[in-house]
Amino acid sequence: MIRQPLRADAVATAYREYVLLTRNRTNLLLAIAPSAIYLLLFATSLSRLVGSVRYADRSVAYAEFAVPALLLSSTLSAATTAATSLFQERMGRMDIELWSYPLRRSSYVIGKPAVSTLLVLLQSLAALVVALLLFDFHWPPDHRLAALCAVVVASMAFNGLYLSPATLFTDFQRFTVTINVLAPVLLFASPSFHPAERMAQVVRWLSWADPVTYGVRCIRDAALLGFGAAWPWMLVMLGVAAATCLLTGHCWPAPAASDLSGGRKHA
């Protein structure tokens, strides 16, 4: 079989995901709005309760400290959706239709997270607009740009981390329960909404093995300190994204040849 160039089938996969995302404008709006709503409800209330916290040897308003964690939580939500949809396609035998066409596993694994990352970027833009309207943030323009770049690389990393388990599960209910329980555990076992020094010692030790710790550090350093402080964490996130996407593409089970033959007859 003659396969298309990697870039062509990756773009085709991304376009398919984009069409699925934007076909229902109401669902698209509902997907973008939660980050801004959470910011409105969460950060406004707790910022009055907590006031300020210490981060990187400086006093930071709690809203500025919490916003990066809220941005990261949107990446976890989008990654959950991407991993679930990939699993559902395999369960619904949609993968037979997909693999009946010239398509590389790597292109499929790259194309799906690309649109998920676009959704996260839109969510983050909406949340930042709300944050700048509600709070007196002292983020220079380059810090805002750095925060958006950090959100993008963190989204790529967590998409990979969430897609990888989809290659190991065969039971959809077990997969759904695991992935939905895992997200809040990872989020609240990390210094997302409270400084690391205020965490219990045992939880602080556990946070070192929590990938969310490094994702939120990446976004928070970018927003509060700029590119100069955040670029090492961005490289870590890019490394995680590359490793997990390669792992997912290698381990993802392709349909049997007999199934593919049947898919081509129906195509």
Side-chain angles (χ1 to χ4, degrees):
M1 181 189 301
I2 299 175
R3 290 187 177 271
Q4 301 177 33
L6 175 62
R7 183 167 56 182
D9 53 1
V11 170
T13 303
Y15 178 73
R16 172 181 177 271
E17 296 297 321
Y18 169 78
V19 171
L20 291 174
L21 176 66
T22 58
R23 181 175 294 169
N24 189 317
R25 301 299 173 84
T26 301
N27 288 342
L28 177 61
L29 179 61
L30 292 175
I32 295 173
S35 293
I37 295 173
Y38 293 155
L39 177 65
L40 180 65
L41 297 176
F42 183 87
T44 52
S45 300
L46 285 184
S47 63
R48 296 179 181 177
L49 178 65
V50 178
S52 62
V53 297
R54 296 290 299 178
Y55 183 75
D57 297 325
R58 55 185 286 191
S59 179
V60 178
Y62 184 75
E64 294 185 78
F65 181 84
V67 164
L70 292 172
L71 296 181
L72 184 71
S73 69
S74 69
T75 73
L76 299 182
S77 177
T80 300
T81 301
T84 302
S85 69
L86 190 149
F87 197 96
Q88 288 174 324
E89 286 176 356
R90 188 176 69 178
M91 279 189 56
R93 312 299 287 171
M94 177 59 71
D95 59 341
I96 295 177
E97 298 293 333
L98 292 170
W99 299 117
S100 296
Y101 294 90
L103 178 65
R104 299 172 192 256
R105 292 188 191 185
S106 54
S107 296
Y108 180 57
V109 174
I110 291 170
K112 184 176 286 288
V115 176
S116 177
T117 298
L118 175 62
L119 174 61
V120 169
L121 184 59
L122 293 175
Q123 290 175 331
S124 301
L125 283 170
L128 284 177
V129 168
V130 172
L132 293 173
L133 290 175
L134 288 176
F135 306 106
D136 185 23
F137 280 9
H138 302 290
W139 294 0
D142 61 315
H143 286 208
R144 300 174 199 174
L145 178 60
L148 291 176
C149 290
V151 165
V152 168
V153 296
S155 177
M156 293 166 60
F158 283 98
N159 267 290
L161 286 170
Y162 274 49
L163 288 172
S164 297
T167 65
L168 305 176
F169 283 83
T170 55
D171 183 83
F172 178 61
Q173 184 175 4
R174 188 174 301 171
F175 172 78
T176 303
V177 170
T178 301
I179 211 73
N180 282 285
V181 168
L182 189 62
V185 170
L186 291 175
L187 188 63
F188 289 102
S190 67
S192 297
F193 299 108
H194 39 264
E197 57 270 15
R198 295 188 183 180
M199 298 169 63
Q201 188 64 48
V202 174
V203 180
R204 195 186 308 178
W205 289 338
L206 292 175
S207 70
W208 286 98
D210 187 347
V212 172
T213 298
Y214 306 101
V216 76
R217 176 90 183 258
C218 178
I219 300 174
R220 186 171 286 146
D221 280 6
L224 299 179
L225 307 175
F227 279 107
W231 71 264
W233 303 111
M234 291 186 186
L235 291 180
V236 170
M237 292 292 102
L238 286 174
V240 170
T244 52
C245 284
L246 286 173
L247 178 64
T248 303
H250 177 73
C251 297
W252 186 254
S258 57
D259 290 336
L260 289 178
S261 299
R264 292 189 192 98
K265 290 178 181 178
H266 293 292

